[in-house]
Amino acid sequence: MIILVGLGCVLIYSLLLSDVETKTYEYGMLRGLGMRQNSLIFLLLVQSLFYAGPGIALGMVLAQLGFLPAQAILEDFAKGSIVDVLNPAAIVLGFFLGLLMPIVSNIGPIRRALSKTLRDSLDLYHQTFNEVRVTVMKLETLGLSPGQTVISILLVATALALNGMMTAFFFGDFPLFLTILNIILVSMLIGLSVVSLAIQPYFEKALLWLVIWGKEKRLHTVISKNMAAHRGRNRKTAIMFTTSIAFVVFAGAMFSLQAVSIKSNVQQFSGGDFVAQADSIDEPLDEAGLRNFLESATTNSSYIEDFTFITFPLASYEVVDRSRISSLSGYRDRDVNIYGIDKNYLLSTFQEFYIPGEVAPGFDYRKVNNFDDAIYSLSEDRGQQRFEGEPSNVESNVPPIVLSGRPTSNTNRRLDVPLKEAYTDYVDVIVTEGLRLYMSIDTATALKLEVRMTYFDENLAGTSGEGDDVTSERAYLAKARALAAKVAGFSFSTYSNAALFGATDLLVDDETYLRLLQDVWAAADGSSDLPT
């Protein structure tokens, strides 16, 4: 929009300036007959509105007519209804800019018309490009150098833009980051257009040398003077032409990028070609019925290649408060959403969005899209990951503080686990690559997965004497089977600052998820038998 407004200002400025130069004698006569400067300014303003008024009206009509086919296409694509009139805010903005541009564009022509002396205005043979101007200025009133001032302002603006862009990116303010980036790109386009004006005379001479040959060379001087006379107008035309071309290229590239980006984002967040999702955990999908139907359809039909199921996040259950992952020392823990997935998950989703950053060595992985299928290995190689130097037989000399720790609840209750069971019956997980630097972890680093629960214990003497709420935690030793940069359907990222905002996703196989859920239910109900 900034470029379009600038082009509109340059266009009206060129038209008015051309009118001022062609009507210099007429304006000089009017001033000689006694017309005041205010009247001449008003005359130029009214003349500019004659350019803008029809342009505003015609632009609004064409915008409405152009919106109708776009509305029909969008309604057909979205299968919904869209208002068939322009937004009132867009109409007000169009009128406001249509009236503002003539006022801004009038500054140059008005100064040009009023700066001429009456003698120059009445001189029919006076040409602007032949003017010789002498300006006498005292050194004490010279002030700042315009060149140095412009360069200083540009350097300060560049520093502020880069600093703001880095700050916005670090703190996750991506709208501000993209806005600054667009401003920089638009400034580059404008800067290149201005640079092209500086080399325009040299291009004119080169073009003249290429075109004028032989006998026509005698016209070289005449044509050079003619081009010099029109250089001012040519520069304005060149500004509009180069800026328009740059805007078209820039806008086309942005639209192409947005189209690809929207498609990729939809595929990344949806995960597959067809996704069915339950509204809430209280009304889940009929997994058994759907699985039987899809297995039959996969066998008897060529339309379904494969299918998979994903659990709700573990924190969706009422008794689970939160889940956290950290290094085994507890350094820089992070909230996670724990999901249980089938081992054939990658065969049922967009495989091009599966990018593992690192996978644990020592396993014979199945290949998917030329990458090791760590999700399949979660189920097939469950509990078989061993670190270098890790003993095969865990005895009581293992430090208990790691998995018992200091209780965090006000009830001082923590679910203790036998050390041997805690260290051998660990949890295989897939975490986001963004946690690597944030927690200083990799596939050779032991992790601690904690699940905090809140449930009612009727054996406690609460304020009513009939029990009270209890907050307890269960800690698990976890090992990263992979650190993934991308997994279709989940929020994985390589950026470390993504770990600073919100919970990240953590993947386990469905059997491990069932085990975690049974532990949670055993703590809350006293039995690992899950309710139907």
Side-chain angles (χ1 to χ4, degrees), residues 7 10 193-194 197 234-244:
L7 288 174
V10 172
S193 300
V194 174
L197 297 181
N234 291 341
R235 282 181 175 178
K236 300 178 187 64
T237 305
I239 288 178
M240 290 188 288
F241 179 76
T242 55
T243 307
S244 300

Side-chain angles (χ1 to χ4, degrees), residues 62 117 277 280 292 294 385 416 424 440 471 479:
L62 293 178
T117 63
Q277 184 175 354
S280 68
N292 292 333
L294 292 173
Q385 185 173 350
D416 293 325
T424 56
S440 299
T471 299
K479 298 180 181 180

Side-chain angles (χ1 to χ4, degrees), residues 57-117:
L58 183 61
M60 290 296 175
V61 173
L62 293 178
Q64 179 63 52
L65 294 177
F67 176 71
L68 294 177
Q71 175 216 7
I73 295 174
L74 291 175
E75 284 185 343
D76 180 69
F77 178 79
K79 306 302 180 185
S81 59
I82 301 176
V83 180
D84 56 358
V85 295
L86 293 176
N87 190 292
I91 297 176
V92 172
L93 180 63
F95 274 105
F96 175 75
L97 292 178
L99 295 176
L100 179 65
M101 285 191 294
I103 297 175
V104 175
S105 305
N106 260 304
I107 297 176
I110 289 175
R111 294 184 61 182
R112 177 69 64 86
L114 298 181
S115 63
K116 292 180 179 295
T117 63

Side-chain angles (χ1 to χ4, degrees), residues 135-149:
T135 302
V136 180
M137 184 177 294
K138 294 182 180 180
L139 185 62
E140 60 183 3
T141 61
L142 183 61
L144 298 175
S145 170
Q148 293 179 353
T149 303

Side-chain angles (χ1 to χ4, degrees), residues 2 5 62-63 139 148 195 197 249 263 279 295 314 323 334 352 355 373 476 489:
I2 297 175
V5 172
L62 293 178
L139 185 62
Q148 293 179 353
V195 169
L197 297 181
V249 174
K263 179 182 177 181
D279 293 331
E295 286 177 352
L314 190 64
S323 305
R334 187 72 244 161
E352 61 269 24
I355 305 177
D373 189 350
Y476 300 87

